[in-house]
Amino acid sequence: MQIDPNTYLDAPAPYYIMEERALRRNLSLIKNISERAGVEFILAFKAFALWKTFPIFREYIGHTTASSLYEARLAFEEFGSKAHTYTPAYEDNTFDDIVACSSHITFNSLSQYERFHARTKGKEVSLGLRVNPEYSEIETELYNPCAPGSRFGILSDQLPEALPEGIEGFHCHNHCESTSYALEKSLKHLEEKFGRWLPQLKWLNLGGGHLVTRQDYDVEHLIRILSDFKHRYPNLHITLEPGSAFAWQTGVLTADVVDIVENDGIKTAILNVSFTCHMPDCLEMPYWPAIRGAKAWGEDTAKGREREPLFYRLGGNSCLSGDFMGYWEFAEPLKIGQRLVFEDMIHYTTVKTNMFNGIHHPGIALLRENNVLEILREYCYEDYRDRMN
C-alpha cells in the first residue's frame, strides 16, 4: 500500500507508523557523533524494541542494552550481538541465562556483585557497577534515578578504595531527554565523586537520556565535552545508551474520531485509541502530544476558552475516567470519522502499551522510503485472551 505521509488519510487506523526516512536520519546523526567523538552509542530497548527494524539499525550501530532476560534474549537472538545488561536486581533462576546473552553485566549494588560475580568466572563477560553521582537535572520525580533514597546505584562513600575483583566498568544513568550541558555538569559530579576509580576501569557507560536528535541539541558541544573527557581518561571506552534519541520524531499514531460528546459546554472527541493504553507517557511524564493540524492548549492557558467552537478535549476509548487530555484548537469543527495524526509516537509507546479493558491494540507498520507501507504486526482478540491464559 502506497500512502501520503503528509496526511495519512489513506493509511489504516489505529496504527503506529514508523518512517524509515526519519529513522535513517537519526541513525546517521548518531553514527556521525560516535565517529567524531570516539564513543559508542547503543540502543536501549526500554524505549524502542521493534525488532523487525533491527536490520536498519545494524547498518549504523553494533550493540544494544538490556534490563531483563527477555531484552537480553532480544539483543542476542534478534539484533545479533550480546547485550550490555543492567537490572536493579538479578535473580537466581535467570542470571545464568542473562549472562549467556550478555557481553557486559552491571550490578546495581555490592551485595548483588557479591552474590553473583562468581557465576561469571570463565564467561566472556565484562563486569561493572552502577554508581550514583547524587546529581540530576530531571524535574519529573517519576524519572529521576538520583532522587534522595534512590534504589539505583552505589554511592561513592560505599565503595572500597580498591575495586572488587573483576570490576572493569562503571555505569551511570541520571538523564532524561537532557541536553549536552546537563551531561557536562554530570561529568563534573561524576569526577568529583568517583574520579579516583576511573583510571582503574576499562569502560564507562553514561546511560541514556541524551536526546542528541532533538532539533535544538548542541551536537558540537557534546562532541567537545566527550572528546575532552576521553583525553583525560584514555583508558575508558565510553558508551551512551539513549532510547528516545534513536526513535525521536520518527513516526506517528493514526486515530479516528468515533464520537463527540458535550458536557457543560465542553466538547470531547472520543477516539479509537487510548491515552492510558496506547500513549502512557502522556499521562505519566506528563506531556502534551502534538497533533497534526491542531494547536495544543494547556489547562491554564485554555481557561476561558474551553467552550469555544473549535476547542476540544480528546478522550480515549477506555473506561478509565482520566483517559483524556485537553485542550486542542482545530481549524474546523471535528466530525465523526475524521482522521487525527499524533506526532512522535514511536519511542516509549509500543514498549509500554497494554490491553486494559480489552481495547484493540493499534497495529505497527513501517513506512519505507518509497512511501510503501509495510505492516509489521496486527493484533487480535487472541492476543488479549492469551495474555491471561
Side-chain angles (χ1 to χ4, degrees):
M1 175 192 304
Q2 191 140 10
I3 67 170
D4 180 1
N6 294 313
T7 65
Y8 283 105
L9 291 177
D10 43 2
Y15 261 80
Y16 297 99
I17 302 177
M18 186 174 207
E19 300 174 3
E20 181 182 1
R21 187 178 294 107
L23 174 61
R24 289 188 180 275
R25 176 199 65 213
N26 287 354
L27 286 165
S28 295
L29 174 60
I30 288 170
K31 183 178 181 181
N32 179 265
I33 296 171
S34 176
E35 291 173 347
R36 291 177 60 196
V39 300
E40 182 179 15
F41 280 78
I42 62 179
L43 171 65
F45 287 155
K46 68 178 182 179
F48 179 85
L50 295 182
W51 56 272
K52 289 184 179 179
T53 66
F54 287 173
I56 298 174
F57 277 82
R58 285 196 295 266
E59 295 179 32
Y60 301 86
I61 66 170
H63 298 93
T64 60
T65 179
S67 296
S68 64
L69 173 58
Y70 290 172
E71 285 189 344
R73 284 189 59 182
L74 193 71
F76 187 52
E77 297 176 13
E78 303 299 340
F79 199 89
S81 61
K82 291 188 175 183
H84 293 234
T85 302
Y86 158 82
T87 185
Y90 297 100
E91 300 175 70
D92 277 323
N93 61 333
T94 58
F95 182 74
D96 294 337
D97 291 333
I98 287 177
V99 171
C101 297
S102 303
S103 60
H104 296 67
I105 292 286
T106 296
F107 296 103
N108 185 58
S109 66
L110 291 173
S111 61
Q112 279 269 296
Y113 163 82
E114 291 164 1
R115 182 176 177 183
F116 288 108
H117 83 278
R119 288 165 62 172
T120 67
K121 289 188 181 297
K123 313 290 185 182
E124 294 184 1
V125 61
S126 181
L127 304 184
L129 299 174
R130 176 161 177 169
V131 296
N132 185 336
E134 300 178 72
Y135 173 81
S136 175
E137 296 185 17
I138 299 173
E139 296 180 355
T140 305
E141 283 298 287
L142 182 67
Y143 295 94
N144 185 1
C146 295
S150 172
R151 73 188 196 280
F152 292 131
I154 301 165
L155 304 181
S156 58
D157 61 9
Q158 296 172 326
L159 273 180
E161 282 299 319
L163 290 174
E165 177 190 1
I167 293 299
E168 297 181 332
F170 279 173
H171 175 111
C172 173
H173 175 65
N174 62 330
H175 293 154
C176 178
E177 297 186 359
S178 301
T179 68
S180 60
Y181 297 92
L183 175 60
E184 184 175 32
K185 295 174 186 175
S186 292
L187 289 175
K188 291 179 180 178
H189 282 265
L190 186 66
E191 286 189 271
E192 289 173 4
K193 294 284 187 179
F194 297 96
R196 62 184 182 273
W197 290 287
L198 293 181
Q200 303 178 41
L201 302 174
K202 293 182 178 180
W203 54 266
L204 174 66
N205 186 324
L206 293 174
H210 313 282
L211 195 47
V212 300
T213 50
R214 185 168 56 196
Q215 191 172 9
D216 61 351
Y217 193 95
D218 193 336
V219 169
E220 297 303 319
H221 179 251
L222 173 69
I223 292 171
R224 285 197 302 274
I225 62 174
L226 289 175
S227 298
D228 289 346
F229 191 84
K230 278 183 60 65
H231 181 74
R232 294 196 298 278
Y233 302 99
N235 55 301
L236 293 178
H237 177 87
I238 296 176
T239 302
L240 296 88
E241 50 175 48
S244 295
F246 284 97
W248 185 258
Q249 298 287 351
T250 57
V252 305
L253 173 60
T254 59
D256 290 335
V257 177
V258 294
D259 196 13
I260 299 173
V261 298
E262 186 171 337
N263 191 327
D264 192 27
I266 293 175
K267 300 180 294 300
T268 301
I270 299 179
L271 311 175
N272 61 347
V273 294
S274 160
F275 289 101
T276 190
C277 295
H278 310 136
M279 297 174 272
D281 261 20
C282 291
L283 302 181
E284 288 180 6
M285 190 72 172
Y287 73 94
W288 294 83
I291 297 173
R292 194 166 298 184
K295 179 181 178 181
W297 290 78
E299 294 286 351
D300 293 333
T301 56
K303 279 187 177 177
R305 303 193 64 183
E306 308 98 320
R307 294 166 179 80
E308 291 186 12
L310 301 179
F311 274 65
Y312 294 83
R313 281 178 171 176
L314 297 181
N317 55 349
S318 81
C319 66
L320 176 70
S321 298
D323 190 6
F324 74 92
M325 295 189 76
Y327 294 84
W328 280 266
E329 182 182 10
F330 291 84
E332 297 179 352
L334 293 181
K335 299 176 181 177
I336 294 174
Q338 185 169 338
R339 172 64 47 81
L340 298 185
V341 179
F342 288 84
E343 305 280 10
D344 197 23
M345 280 291 155
I346 301 301
H347 57 93
Y348 283 107
T349 50
T350 54
V351 291
K352 297 179 76 171
T353 55
N354 60 74
M355 288 185 163
F356 169 65
N357 254 180
I359 291 172
H360 176 69
H361 193 289
I364 304 173
L366 177 64
L367 183 63
R368 292 293 186 177
E369 292 181 292
N370 60 1
N371 289 341
V372 170
L373 191 70
E374 178 183 337
I375 304 299
L376 302 182
R377 177 68 194 269
E378 292 181 318
Y379 295 85
C380 60
Y381 161 71
E382 286 74 19
D383 293 305
Y384 167 71
R385 181 197 66 189
D386 291 348
R387 290 180 72 250
M388 296 168 282
N389 190 2

